Amino acid sequence: MWHVRAEIAPAILLVVDFGGWYRLDSKSSGGGGNSSSDLIQHTQVSLLKDVIIPYSHLLPRLHLSENKNRDTLLYFKGAKHRHRGGLVREKLWDLLVDKPGVIMEEGFPNATGREQSIKGMRSSEFCLNPAGDTPTSCRLFDAIQSLCIPVIVSDNIELPFEGMVDYSEFSVFVAVSDALKPNWLVSHLRSFSREQKDKFRRKMAEAQPIFQYENGHYGGIGPIPEDGAVNHIWRKVHQKLPLIKEAIVREKRRPPGVSIPRRCHCT
């Protein structure tokens, strides 16, 4: 995709994240992957033009009626070591790993770790969602499907369907600077009352279908749910069209020799 990024830039891109600004592979010039030719220009992918979509969740949906007692305060399962913005993860790990009521596990919810992840998320009040190599991951959507209140520690995160979904109704957003204060995060999470946590979980249950791509039919053949991810993506695309048209008109009326900051790579 890298060699055609200029050609596809005018399209409305469906992206799960805006975090991958640099090409990271061994063939990059100089090996560092941050030369000007490797940089994705901010106008080539932008909140004005493009649509952020949810990662596909890996864990099954837990309905509110199936929710049981949660004995763990905070749960995290994933890789300890990450790059760029994900360096905060290693610091959080060291701060939290020995705290009572906190479970920090290395691994992924794949074939071997899936059951462990299901058990961990469904038995925990809060699920930690720190930045990784990119600001977000499928872990957030696994937490939502598990009714585990997301604790989002990622200052630069952009989320799917904002304006349609109010994440603050079922998530806890924490600044990286606060999360890295010794004992601060655990104390903050313990301050939430049972009523507050129950309200978060009710709102999360209402939002669960929005992040589901499946239609419940064998092989995916059949009508798509009205309130599912696919229809929300199309609604978001529809919302973008007037903004894109405005940006195109704005660019066309620019007099020769006049510099006007480009809002997006829309043409």
Side-chain angles (χ1 to χ4, degrees), residues 161-207:
F161 312 142
E162 291 206 81
M164 299 175 174
V165 178
D166 184 353
Y167 288 83
S168 66
E169 292 184 337
F170 55 82
S171 305
V172 177
F173 289 86
V174 176
V176 169
S177 58
D178 285 332
L180 294 181
K181 296 175 184 176
N183 303 315
W184 187 93
L185 184 58
V186 169
S187 177
H188 180 59
L189 297 181
R190 292 194 187 280
S191 71
F192 286 89
S193 67
R194 170 56 54 194
E195 291 74 19
Q196 287 174 302
K197 289 183 286 189
D198 287 345
K199 184 177 180 180
F200 274 140
R201 209 158 275 120
R202 287 195 299 271
K203 289 293 185 180
M204 204 182 326
E206 293 174 7

Side-chain angles (χ1 to χ4, degrees), residues 17 19 55 76 78-93 127-140 151-158 174-176 179-180:
D17 213 308
Y55 282 84
F76 172 81
K80 177 180 178 181
H81 304 286
R82 276 293 179 256
H83 305 290
R84 301 201 300 274
L87 294 175
V88 66
R89 185 183 295 187
E90 187 170 347
K91 296 177 182 179
L92 283 171
W93 188 291
C127 282
L128 184 64
N129 290 272
D133 290 339
T134 55
T136 190
S137 70
C138 66
R139 184 178 298 103
L140 170 61
V151 179
I152 298 174
V153 186
S154 182
D155 292 349
N156 298 316
I157 197 169
E158 300 290 351
V174 176
V176 169
L180 294 181

Side-chain angles (χ1 to χ4, degrees), residues 24-29 31:
L24 295 175
D25 62 40
S26 59
K27 297 180 181 178
S28 302
S29 59

Side-chain angles (χ1 to χ4, degrees), residues 201-239:
R201 209 158 275 120
R202 287 195 299 271
K203 289 293 185 180
M204 204 182 326
E206 293 174 7
Q208 282 177 324
I210 296 171
F211 305 108
Q212 292 185 309
Y213 289 98
E214 301 88 352
N215 63 3
H217 298 281
Y218 179 76
I221 300 173
I224 58 175
E226 178 66 25
D227 59 349
V230 174
N231 270 334
H232 275 78
I233 290 170
W234 283 116
R235 290 181 189 125
K236 205 66 179 176
V237 169
H238 183 71
Q239 288 181 358

